[in-house]
Structures are given as structure tokens and as C-alpha cells.
Amino acid sequence: MTIHATATEPVTASLLRTTARCLPTGVTVVTSGLGPDVHGMTVNSFTTLSLEPPLVSFSVRHDARIRGPVERTGGFVVNVLAAEQTELARWFANRNRPLGAESFAEVRTEDAPVTGGVRIAGTVGYFACRAVRFIELGDHVLVVGLVHECGARQKARQLLFVDGELRAAQDRSAEPPRAEEQ
């Protein structure tokens, strides 16, 4: 069965969500804040925007709890989750989890970057950023960040969100192309 909207019919939120589920996305946990005010949220709208200057973005609903810490501190960390971090993705997607540093009590973390936020241990990679722009768009805000620090584990498998489910990416046995080859 095919579900679609034509030019004469409105695109509903339900149809847009159903169609968007066809596109696999990476799964990240965005963190922001310092000390007891640190917060994290699972986000799958992360993307790189520019290489020069190094810019990335993510979008969240206007009322998302991560927005306040990002606006207050001006910084955030995007943690790209590994295939084995499914429970971590679910934890930071749960709106009923404790707030602040208490939500990280069972989470292994690494050194906090100068931008604020938390680096989560065992991730595929991370981007530590300074927020440079907040763009109000529909029911979301697009947060644009200038990357100050980043890193990746080359052999780790990523966690993906596709068709409404969390799934492991295929094995990354081939070496990625070096920057000068791209």
C-alpha cells in the first residue's frame, strides 16, 4: 500500500514522519551545560553543514530541555553513538529520566571539552562546538555550531535510526578515504 499526498492535498505531520522513517539517520546524544546543570538528549537530526569553517547542526522542538543549557553556556557536544549504545540512546530519549548530572550517574564519560557538555565514553565520534546561530523554523529550532574539537574511532559501528527502530550499521571493515582523497 502506498501512502502519499498530492499537490492539492496537505502534507500531514503523520505522513511526513512516515516518509522520513525511510531515511536512515545517525543517532547522537547532544550534551550541554556544566557540573550539576549538564543535560543530554538523544538527537537524530545531526548533520555537518560546512568544512570551511567547520559547521554542524541539529534541530529540536522549541521546548526541548537541551535548548536552555545550549543557550546559557553557548556550547554543546554531539556524541555519535556506537551500535552497542542502544540503551544509552533510549535513556536520553526518555523524558522521565532524572535531570541534570543525575541523568549521567550510570553513564561512562570522558574529559569534558572546553565548550561545555559531556563526552560520552565508547562513542563512534564526537564534535565539541560553540553555538553560533539559533534559527526558528516551524515547530523546531535549528542549532548551528562551530566545531572546536572532534574525533572518531575508525573501526566502530554506528547506531542508526531507520523505519522507527534503532539498528546497527553494517560492519566498517573497509578503511575510510583519507581527507586528501575526498
Side-chain angles (χ1 to χ4, degrees):
M1 176 175 153
T2 302
I3 303 170
H4 66 278
T6 65
T8 59
E9 300 171 36
V11 174
T12 64
S14 177
L15 177 59
L16 185 61
R17 185 177 296 112
T18 298
T19 306
R21 284 181 172 176
C22 298
L23 177 66
T25 62
V27 181
T28 67
V29 171
V30 175
T31 64
S32 186
L34 300 168
D37 295 325
V38 70
H39 186 68
M41 178 181 172
T42 300
V43 172
N44 70 339
S45 61
F46 172 76
T47 190
T48 57
L49 293 176
S50 168
L51 297 176
E52 292 293 330
L55 297 173
V56 298
S57 72
F58 68 93
S59 66
V60 293
R61 292 189 61 85
H62 290 291
D63 61 352
R65 292 184 282 186
I66 194 71
R67 185 176 179 177
V70 173
E71 288 178 338
R72 282 191 301 278
T73 65
F76 59 92
V77 177
V78 178
N79 294 276
V80 182
L81 298 187
E84 62 272 9
Q85 293 178 309
T86 301
E87 290 309 311
L88 197 63
R90 288 189 177 111
W91 173 251
F92 284 105
N94 180 352
R95 291 189 58 86
N96 297 319
R97 73 183 180 286
L99 296 178
E102 190 179 342
S103 68
F104 289 88
E106 303 290 321
V107 178
R108 287 186 318 119
T109 60
E110 297 178 347
D111 295 333
V114 297
T115 58
V118 173
R119 281 184 52 205
I120 297 173
T123 61
V124 172
Y126 76 97
F127 300 83
C129 307
R130 289 276 181 216
V132 294
R133 186 158 304 153
F134 296 87
I135 304 167
E136 304 287 335
L137 298 165
D139 59 1
H140 277 60
V141 59
L142 180 70
V143 180
V144 178
L146 177 66
V147 180
H148 281 261
E149 180 183 325
C150 63
R153 293 186 313 161
Q154 295 299 320
K155 297 291 185 176
R157 291 188 322 148
Q158 305 92 340
L159 183 62
L160 300 177
F161 184 72
V162 62
D163 203 20
E165 298 178 6
L166 294 168
R167 299 181 186 176
Q170 295 298 318
D171 188 17
R172 291 176 66 184
S173 57
E175 287 291 322
R178 292 187 303 260
E180 60 271 8
E181 294 175 352
Q182 295 181 3

